[in-house]
Amino acid sequence: MLSVHSVVSFDFAVANIPGWHTTIFPPYFVAGAIFSGFAMVVTLMVIAREVFDLKNYITINHLEKMNKIIMATGMMVGYAYACEFFIAWYSGNPFEKFAFINRAFGPYWWAYWIMATCNVVIPQIFWWKKARTSIPVMFVVSLFVNIGMWFERFVITVTSLHRDFLPSNWRYYVPTWFDWGITLGSFGWFFIWFLLFCRLLPVIAMAEVKGVMDHEQQH
Amino acid sequence: MSSSTKKGPGLAGVIGYFENTQNLIEAMEKVRDAKWASFDAFSPFPVHGMDEAQGLKRSPIPFVTFAAGLTGFCLAFLLQYWTSAVDWPLIVGGKPFNSWPAFVPVMFELTVLFAGLCTVGAMFLFNRLPNITRKAFDPKLTRDRFAIVIEAPILDDEGEPKVAPKKGTREFDESAAADFLKKVGAVDVRTVYHEGWF
């Protein structure tokens, strides 16, 4: 996960457009991936433990710990946002400064503020134990986190491309039906394999559960 | 594991059941030390220490992974080198044709892809999967029972073993194997035939 996301972040970082050409991308992407990954797991597990009656195997305790990690990585991602903004100002580079002001107040301000709210503000509710251990709250928050991370990737990709170094490229990009189709298809691809797994393979690995239980005999 | 032959019921071996992993491991060590020619163990979950108890050698899968990863790595480099420096060289920003730092992401990705896919494929191959001919013989072995099977050699038409037993191994004899398994603590000893059902 660490190496894959670092290398994927290089796909952006090696470009020289403002907003992409920054060394913070590997840790930023890795933290964001852990953040969004745990949120996805919480979403799926809340459903799976109801449907498959796994409440004794995937306990509220497990979910609570996942929520703590969600909040921790959410704060790391929030710190990365602040870092990028600070460096854009501190560098004095007018292109970099513009790129970040454009993100927050330009044509895509709505996407940026959805991202910031969903990723940084909403997970703060997990400071309270009642929220961390409440199934409805964690389900809603994990969905918001997934939405926020989707918008983060949207913001990174689109806001830098729609205001790059060549003014003739400046446009307001609206996703086409093909883009929505590919996005929907990617969700479908994920759910095909997840649902096939749930249907055909043991959802809980017996060996792993045995491994963490007390044994009557020693090895 | 017994192989399915089209000839009809033939002796496949002797199976002994055990109650828990401790008994299974101890019995397996005795079976291994008695140098039976062919035997196997069954359990619902991986048992720690089973590889040594059975005398199994290390799996060759890591070598497959390494070879496949190396192949992916080299292929990715060759692809990018050939396209960038041999087939259609383009000067981009004054940079050299063989800009290997720019090739790194693709080299990384193909290394991981080849290594991952070939490891899964090798695992299937070495476990003789997909398996449509060899039948399992007791569903409880994937649930809550453990067993050791001492296998009989597969006989050809004349009744001679198809594969000669290795030197120094104990030749299979049904009653001797059954007694041996009872001696090492099996609670239920039965004979297995090739169709797989008792």
Side-chain angles (χ1 to χ4, degrees):
Chain A
M1 208 285 293
L2 291 163
S3 48
V4 164
H5 274 87
S6 298
V7 172
V8 165
S9 78
F10 293 161
D11 288 340
F12 289 95
V14 298
N16 60 10
I17 48 179
W20 282 16
H21 196 51
T22 166
T23 55
I24 202 178
F25 268 13
Y28 178 19
F29 273 53
V30 169
I34 301 178
F35 181 47
S36 127
F38 269 85
M40 179 102 252
V41 169
V42 167
T43 309
L44 292 174
M45 285 306 106
V46 161
I47 299 174
R49 65 200 284 276
E50 280 295 333
V51 169
F52 293 116
D53 194 23
L54 297 172
K55 296 206 175 90
N56 285 326
Y57 298 99
I58 304 170
T59 62
I60 295 280
N61 196 26
H62 294 133
L63 291 173
E64 188 196 347
K65 291 194 166 70
M66 285 197 263
N67 291 330
K68 286 185 189 169
I69 294 183
I70 288 175
M71 195 177 66
T73 47
M75 291 199 290
M76 287 193 238
V77 165
Y79 175 72
Y81 295 159
C83 233
E84 278 188 308
F85 207 85
F86 170 74
I87 294 293
W89 169 78
Y90 188 66
S91 68
N93 179 340
F95 303 102
E96 195 79 14
K97 277 199 270 194
F98 171 76
F100 282 91
I101 294 177
N102 177 56
R103 271 194 194 178
F105 304 109
Y108 287 102
W109 64 271
W110 51 275
Y112 179 83
W113 289 106
I114 292 178
M115 169 187 96
T117 315
C118 290
N119 285 345
V120 185
V121 174
I122 289 186
Q124 300 302 315
I125 198 175
F126 284 150
W127 284 108
W128 287 273
K129 186 162 180 148
K130 275 199 93 164
R132 289 200 299 271
T133 50
S134 151
I135 295 278
V137 169
M138 72 172 88
F139 186 66
V140 167
V141 170
S142 64
L143 281 175
F144 271 116
V145 167
N146 280 324
I147 293 171
M149 281 308 293
W150 189 93
F151 273 101
E152 178 192 287
R153 292 160 184 140
F154 180 82
V155 162
I156 291 176
T157 312
V158 175
T159 59
S160 288
L161 284 174
H162 91 123
R163 292 288 182 267
D164 64 4
F165 284 120
L166 205 53
S168 57
N169 286 342
W170 287 24
R171 261 184 237 356
Y172 186 73
Y173 163 74
V174 174
T176 63
W177 293 112
F178 301 102
D179 296 329
W180 289 121
I182 294 176
T183 306
L184 202 64
S186 70
F187 290 165
W189 185 246
F190 171 79
F191 277 108
I192 285 180
W193 296 110
F194 180 68
L195 292 172
L196 277 176
F197 166 78
C198 287
R199 178 69 183 88
L200 298 173
L201 295 175
V203 173
I204 299 278
M206 192 195 324
E208 290 176 9
V209 175
K210 280 256 175 209
V212 297
M213 279 169 56
D214 294 324
H215 293 282
E216 276 143 348
Q217 296 135 339
Q218 292 96 6
H219 283 288
Chain B
M1 192 49 237
S2 66
S3 71
S4 149
T5 62
K6 311 235 184 334
K7 286 194 300 205
L11 184 62
V14 176
I15 184 172
Y17 288 90
F18 296 85
E19 290 296 298
N20 54 48
T21 57
Q22 188 69 6
N23 298 350
L24 182 73
I25 293 267
E26 286 166 356
M28 186 41 113
E29 285 167 353
K30 298 199 182 84
V31 171
R32 172 199 67 193
D33 294 334
K35 290 207 188 335
W36 288 97
S38 171
F39 54 88
D40 204 356
F42 296 87
S43 83
F45 51 83
V47 176
H48 184 63
M50 202 56 186
D51 289 345
E52 297 88 48
Q54 225 178 316
L56 288 174
K57 292 199 285 287
R58 283 185 58 174
S59 168
I61 288 185
F63 297 104
V64 172
T65 310
F66 179 72
L70 198 62
T71 307
F73 188 82
C74 297
L75 267 181
F77 176 75
L78 278 170
L79 168 73
Q80 291 171 102
Y81 176 79
W82 188 73
T83 53
S84 308
V86 173
D87 187 43
W88 200 323
L90 291 170
I91 302 174
V92 180
K95 298 190 182 76
F97 295 134
N98 180 24
S99 301
W100 69 262
F103 298 166
V104 165
V106 177
M107 286 159 75
F108 168 81
E109 301 283 359
L110 275 195
T111 304
V112 171
L113 177 73
F114 278 44
L117 289 180
C118 289
T119 303
V120 171
M123 192 273 294
F124 273 80
L125 208 79
F126 293 148
N127 286 325
R128 298 177 288 169
L129 291 171
N131 168 22
I132 44 178
T133 53
R134 293 184 299 280
K135 297 191 191 65
F137 45 80
D138 187 352
K140 293 221 288 295
L141 288 173
T142 57
R143 208 176 144 173
D144 59 1
R145 302 202 79 181
F146 308 86
I148 294 180
V149 171
I150 300 184
E151 290 161 5
I154 302 167
L155 303 175
D156 60 15
D157 292 320
E158 278 93 47
E160 292 302 314
K162 264 195 188 157
V163 177
K166 282 202 285 285
K167 281 178 78 115
T169 58
R170 195 163 158 180
E171 212 180 314
F172 178 80
D173 175 68
E174 190 188 330
S175 53
D179 291 335
F180 188 85
L181 282 176
K182 284 203 194 67
K183 198 163 57 106
V184 297
V187 297
D188 184 10
V189 178
R190 306 188 196 185
T191 317
V192 188
Y193 295 94
H194 271 301
E195 247 63 40
W197 305 105
F198 302 118

